[in-house]
């Protein structure tokens, strides 16, 4: 997976585990992911969540025939964080021919829930 010159590289997102039904990624809580008041930015959580869901969806398709794109995402930010690392744990709720739905829990180092997100992925045939 190419991370160079991507949002993943900019935010410091790293892959911890890639399994078809379980994606685990980490992201630092630092100057790259802070909002102006010094807390973890909700948009950074959403970027992490959609990245994990998209990578998981990619593992469910033939990449020679299909692209996957996030088409809807929601997030509930339940706890703030100033520093350290957060971990996204993504699992599929629905894997269909044209859409997938993934649940992503983002936790801190003590497994406290920071954000819960659900992402719908579109599965789009590549044009010949």
């Amino acid at each position: 997976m190419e991370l160079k010159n991507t949002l993943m590289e900019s935010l410091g997102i790293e892959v911890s585990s890639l399994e078809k039904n379980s994606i685990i990624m980490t992201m630092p809580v630092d100057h790259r992911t802070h909002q102006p008041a010094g807390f973890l930015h909700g948009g950074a959580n959403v970027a992490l969540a959609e990245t994990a869901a998209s990578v998981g969806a990619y593992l469910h398709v033939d990449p020679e025939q299909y692209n996957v794109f996030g088409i809807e995402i929601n997030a509930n930010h339940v706890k703030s964080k100033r520093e350290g690392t957060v971990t996204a744990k993504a699992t599929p709720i629905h894997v269909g021919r044209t859409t997938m739905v993934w649940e992503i829990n983002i936790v801190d180092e003590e497994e406290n829930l920071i954000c819960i997100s659900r992402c719908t992925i579109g599965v789009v045939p590549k044009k010949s």
Side-chain angles (χ1 to χ4, degrees):
M1 178 179 313
E2 179 61 40
L3 303 182
K4 197 124 178 85
N5 300 317
T6 67
L7 182 63
M8 290 177 66
E9 180 185 43
S10 298
L11 296 179
I13 296 172
E14 295 183 358
V15 175
S16 296
S17 175
L18 288 178
E19 296 178 27
K20 199 170 185 180
N21 293 310
S22 176
I23 306 300
I24 301 174
M25 296 181 160
T26 61
M27 181 177 70
V29 181
D30 63 16
H31 68 280
R32 296 170 289 183
T33 57
H34 280 161
Q35 42 101 309
F39 292 96
L40 176 60
H41 195 294
N45 281 336
V46 172
L48 175 61
E50 186 164 334
T51 299
S54 295
V55 168
Y58 181 84
L59 296 177
H60 282 267
V61 301
D62 176 353
E64 297 293 318
Q65 295 186 33
Y66 298 95
N67 287 312
V68 295
F69 299 100
I71 57 175
E72 192 277 335
I73 189 163
N74 68 52
N76 294 100
H77 309 291
V78 296
K79 187 172 172 141
S80 63
K81 188 159 177 65
R82 285 190 177 271
E83 59 184 18
T85 302
V86 290
T87 300
K89 300 175 181 182
T91 55
I93 296 170
H94 164 75
V95 177
R97 285 184 307 104
T98 59
T99 62
M100 296 184 206
V101 179
W102 286 74
E103 179 177 86
I104 309 94
N105 290 317
I106 300 175
V107 298
D108 67 10
E109 298 89 343
E110 287 79 43
E111 296 293 317
N112 295 308
L113 185 64
I114 303 297
C115 176
I116 185 166
S117 180
R118 188 172 50 224
C119 184
T120 303
I121 302 290
V123 179
V124 181
K126 289 186 173 179
K127 295 185 174 153
S128 348

